[in-house]
Amino acid sequence: MTSGTRAGRARAAAPWPQLPEAARQVLLEVLVHGPTSRAEIAARLQVSRPTLSRITRQLFDDGLLTEGGTELRSSTGRPSELLQVKGAARHFFGVKLTGDHLYAAVTDLNAEVVASLDTPLRSAEVAEVVRQIAETASALRIGFPDLTAAGVTLAGTVRSGVVHGSAYLRWSGVPLADLVAEATGLPTAVDNDVQALTAAEHWFGAGAGLRSLVVVTIGVGIGCGLVLNGELVEGAHGTAGRAAHVVVDQSGPVCDLGHRGCAASYLLNESIVRALGTADYAGAVARAQAGDPAARRVFGDAGFALGTVIGTVANLVDPQKVLLTGDGLPLYEVAADRVREGIAKSYEPDPAQLHLDVQAFDFGEWARSGAALAIRAALTGAR
């Protein structure tokens, strides 16, 4: 594989056009809602048809929108011509970093994955990880030389492109966005992985078009992303959505931070493995699936803790949907009844009104969320 730094600089990024705010809003409407008529866009954005025609003309000229088919969209009986995003007009590079692996994807402007690549990290040293990201971008650029921007996600605290803390990579104060941009030649956004996944699902996935959404991830860690009034909640310090230490049982086990009976003490993959004394999480799941009484009890307690987290966060947000995912999702398959019990015990309204959407995402979806982060940054100017 060629040197990512030199190869990344050899090709300039396909520039993103300078769009006025009105044009960004129109493009976002079509990105999120799919093929849409001019009348629908004008009504949602409260703009006149002549104004909308002027805005869409610019987006056509920039190659971002195109005419779709016609469809009956109202009771007038007259078919409407639909506008749709020209997905192939731009491509974006996304990366998800774990403690030992790099997952990458290229998507089009609709966040549809068109190529992917994953590889073990050679080292957790910052310079080496940046070099490996650049090499991966260079390899994927062979098929997509028009890459517009990059997005990198990882577990940890991230603000304005700087990784202030990442326990798995043991990083602190790393200006990752600037380093990756320099190495690849691509404008780069960096964010917490759960935040990026939440944003991606809000624009391009299970939460598309919703005004409120909660994303809960379980596995090696416990993550929680929030969308309120159509906006991703970022928090004053980049730490919004921390729910791992919601107290479940004050007489329960102690977590690694010394909290007794919190969700993390029951729910983390590591906590389950430790409670059962198995070699790994897959072995713990196998025991529970086989009906082992001790494993069923441990997974049941973890399921109840998960339900408590979901119910507690839903009380605060009142979301249209709660999306549950993560590498620890076999827990839900084994203990769905206890999850529902935990929700019923903690959620104050009628539990039947809580829309829980359980979806198994592989790491490719997390890499896609990195590319979606790049799309979001290009459209909004955020880092």
Side-chain angles (χ1 to χ4, degrees):
M1 195 177 289
T2 59
S3 167
T5 301
R6 282 189 288 178
R9 289 174 179 165
R11 300 182 181 92
W16 182 259
Q18 294 294 320
L19 299 176
E21 180 60 27
R24 293 180 186 179
Q25 290 179 1
V26 170
L27 181 57
L28 180 58
E29 281 293 315
V30 187
L31 272 174
V32 172
H33 297 285
T36 310
S37 71
R38 287 176 172 83
E40 290 172 306
I41 296 172
R44 282 202 290 259
L45 296 181
Q46 297 184 324
V47 297
S48 68
R49 290 294 293 273
T51 298
L52 181 62
S53 294
R54 186 172 64 253
I55 294 169
T56 55
R57 191 177 306 118
Q58 177 182 354
L59 293 170
F60 273 84
D61 291 344
D62 288 328
L64 301 177
L65 283 187
T66 185
E67 298 282 2
T70 58
E71 189 175 304
L72 189 63
R73 307 284 280 195
S74 69
S75 58
T76 63
R78 184 177 303 169
S80 299
E81 194 171 57
L82 304 182
L83 300 179
Q84 63 185 36
V85 172
K86 191 174 181 180
R90 293 288 190 280
H91 290 96
F92 297 83
F93 174 58
V95 169
K96 154 70 173 172
L97 296 174
T98 68
D100 58 9
H101 219 88
L102 184 158
Y103 298 88
V106 172
T107 76
D108 64 13
L109 184 53
N110 286 309
E112 295 289 338
V113 175
V114 294
S116 61
L117 184 65
D118 62 83
T119 180
L121 287 178
R122 295 190 294 260
S123 165
E125 292 295 323
V126 173
E128 186 60 31
V129 172
V130 171
R131 187 176 298 113
Q132 196 166 345
I133 291 172
E135 290 174 0
T136 304
S138 179
L140 290 170
R141 249 178 171 156
I142 293 172
F144 302 94
D146 63 338
L147 289 181
T148 296
V152 181
T153 78
L154 70 165
T157 302
V158 182
R159 294 192 297 274
S160 301
V162 177
V163 180
H164 289 276
S166 178
Y168 302 123
L169 290 167
R170 297 190 174 92
W171 290 355
S172 179
V174 175
L176 189 61
D178 288 342
L179 293 173
V180 173
E182 170 67 17
T184 63
L186 295 170
T188 302
V190 177
D191 206 348
N192 169 270
D193 52 1
V194 176
Q195 286 288 92
L197 181 67
T198 302
E201 293 304 313
H202 180 225
W203 276 19
F204 302 110
L210 299 182
R211 296 288 295 169
S212 59
L213 173 72
V214 169
V215 175
V216 176
T217 65
I218 56 172
V220 176
I222 302 170
C224 182
L226 308 172
V227 172
L228 290 176
N229 297 322
E231 297 290 336
L232 181 71
V233 177
E234 297 179 344
H237 307 97
T239 58
R242 298 296 176 96
H245 298 284
V246 170
V247 175
V248 178
D249 183 351
Q250 292 182 342
S251 62
V254 177
C255 77
D256 290 343
L257 295 182
H259 304 150
R260 182 169 292 281
C262 67
S265 69
Y266 292 101
L267 189 49
L268 296 179
N269 290 358
E270 178 186 350
S271 299
I272 292 171
V273 167
R274 186 167 54 241
L276 288 174
T278 54
D280 53 30
Y281 185 67
V285 171
R287 280 180 57 181
Q289 291 173 333
D292 177 276
R296 299 291 295 188
R297 177 183 56 77
V298 168
F299 274 88
D301 289 345
F304 184 85
L306 173 58
T308 301
V309 168
I310 292 172
T312 300
V313 175
N315 282 337
L316 296 173
V317 175
D318 188 22
Q320 291 170 272
K321 178 184 284 189
V322 176
L323 175 62
L324 174 64
T325 190
D327 57 283
L329 208 54
L331 160 67
Y332 183 83
E333 300 167 9
V334 171
D337 57 336
R338 294 301 309 281
V339 176
R340 288 190 291 269
E341 182 183 340
I343 292 173
K345 292 284 188 181
S346 57
Y347 185 57
E348 292 184 15
D350 179 3
Q353 76 181 30
L354 194 153
H355 181 186
L356 180 62
D357 184 2
V358 182
Q359 295 202 24
F361 292 151
D362 60 19
F363 279 109
E365 182 70 13
W366 292 82
R368 172 181 176 265
S369 73
L373 172 66
I375 297 171
R376 193 179 183 96
L379 193 56
T380 65
R383 294 191 70 196

